[in-house]
Amino acid sequence: MNAVTDIFASAGLWAAVLRIATPLILGTLGALLCERSGVLNLGIEGIMTFGAMIGWLAVYNGADLWTGILVAGLSGGIFGLLHAGLTVTLGLSQHVSGLGVTLFASSFSYYVFRLLVPVAGTPPTIEPFQPIDVPALSSLPFLGPALFTQTPPTYVAILLALVLGYVLFRTPLGLAIRMTGENPHAAEAQGINPMAIRFGSVIVGSALMGIGGAFLTLSAFNSFFPTMVQGRGWICIALVVFASWRPGRALVGALLFALFDGFQLRLQTRLSGVPYQIFLMIPYLLSIAALALMARRARVPQALMQPYRRGER
């Protein structure tokens, strides 16, 4: 019991929670935006992998870190354009298209990496984002080192969650996105172009996914390896349901999963003789339990995964 108390009382745990949560926040916001418009995007795992690779590759070849973030976002948007073309324009299965994007983007990432980066015993590295101290706040006892000494992309991710929440529920654009995800024919009757809304939402959402992947190579680590996303994309899909398609709750869900993950990493060092696989299971088991409780009250967008044809009902 003392070990658990010590872990939760450590500022290092809470600092790690924000770092672990950042790619989940960005990926979940991207998936949420897609689904709010009525499009399921299962390409998130591959898009995050490609974003991690191409953002790192840009910096490795001389670009600055923010340019690497931008390149990752643009690459995610391109995959989003592909997915939207297949699902919105052609009306193909969103499940099949999304899984196809994941397989293609993941494989293409490895191919491009091996093609352009010399094979070496250890992966080449870059100089990643460094933590910054927030004036006045970083010197606060406990809270300072826990919450206010993060890298810039972490603060950007939290800000984006707040901005997206405002846009979706306080602006005409947000109303158009939500109406398209609920009843695109009603949206069309109000002069809204549901296909344009879906295209834009999927492209911007996929760009956020690519940026979430880039955080791993440009901030959390300093090199790329093909399996580094490690299922975070699928966690983001589950977090959207946990959040009931609301950005604020998505932020809370990502932080909660990150807390479970950070806790198990520290618990491994305190308890010897227990197989490490048991600790690795903890965040996923707790997340499944939380998802099961929240999913009962979740209200799915009514037009999610339903192809839209103008003039048809």
Side-chain angles (χ1 to χ4, degrees), residues 220-269:
F221 305 101
N222 60 1
S223 60
F224 171 79
F225 51 94
T227 58
M228 70 186 314
V229 175
Q230 293 182 329
R232 287 179 176 87
W234 307 118
I235 293 296
C236 291
I237 295 294
L239 286 175
V240 173
V241 181
F242 173 85
S244 299
W245 290 267
R246 291 180 173 271
R249 294 181 184 178
L251 175 61
V252 173
L255 292 171
L256 186 62
F257 181 86
L259 175 61
F260 295 156
D261 199 13
F263 174 73
Q264 67 87 13
L265 289 172
R266 282 155 179 76
L267 196 59
Q268 286 187 48
T269 63

Side-chain angles (χ1 to χ4, degrees), residues 1 35 83 98 131 138 151 166 175 223 268-270 273-274 292 313:
M1 191 63 182
E35 294 185 27
H83 182 58
S138 60
T151 58
Y166 178 82
L175 178 61
S223 60
Q268 286 187 48
T269 63
R270 301 296 184 98
V274 180
R313 288 186 181 274

Side-chain angles (χ1 to χ4, degrees), residues 66-285:
W66 287 111
T67 301
I69 292 287
L70 177 62
V71 169
L74 290 174
S75 69
I78 292 173
F79 282 110
L81 179 63
L82 172 63
H83 182 58
L86 294 172
T87 59
V88 178
T89 303
L90 300 180
L92 302 181
S93 168
Q94 296 177 11
H95 293 93
V96 175
S97 174
L99 292 174
V101 169
T102 280
L103 293 173
F104 171 66
S106 299
S107 301
F108 192 51
S109 300
Y110 185 70
Y111 171 75
V112 172
F113 180 72
R114 285 304 180 201
L115 183 67
L116 300 180
V117 179
V119 178
T122 57
T125 61
I126 61 168
E127 185 65 29
F129 282 103
Q130 298 300 311
I132 58 174
D133 293 337
V134 178
L137 296 178
S138 60
S139 59
L140 292 174
F142 185 80
L143 291 178
L147 304 179
F148 300 111
T149 54
Q150 300 292 328
T151 58
T154 295
Y155 300 119
V156 172
I158 295 172
L159 178 62
L160 284 175
L162 301 177
V163 170
L164 183 58
Y166 178 82
V167 170
L168 281 178
F169 295 100
R170 294 290 186 271
T171 67
L173 175 60
L175 178 61
I177 293 171
R178 290 186 288 120
M179 185 179 292
T180 300
E182 296 290 341
N183 190 333
H185 298 289
E188 183 183 18
Q190 295 297 318
I192 297 170
N193 186 339
M195 297 188 73
I197 291 293
R198 287 188 170 184
F199 255 91
S201 297
V202 173
I203 291 172
V204 174
S206 299
L208 291 174
M209 297 172 188
I211 294 172
F215 175 84
L216 297 173
T217 50
L218 302 184
S219 185
F221 305 101
N222 60 1
S223 60
F224 171 79
F225 51 94
T227 58
M228 70 186 314
V229 175
Q230 293 182 329
R232 287 179 176 87
W234 307 118
I235 293 296
C236 291
I237 295 294
L239 286 175
V240 173
V241 181
F242 173 85
S244 299
W245 290 267
R246 291 180 173 271
R249 294 181 184 178
L251 175 61
V252 173
L255 292 171
L256 186 62
F257 181 86
L259 175 61
F260 295 156
D261 199 13
F263 174 73
Q264 67 87 13
L265 289 172
R266 282 155 179 76
L267 196 59
Q268 286 187 48
T269 63
R270 301 296 184 98
L271 300 178
S272 58
V274 180
Y276 74 92
Q277 291 88 349
I278 299 295
F279 298 104
L280 294 177
M281 291 168 55
I282 291 176
Y284 296 95
L285 292 175

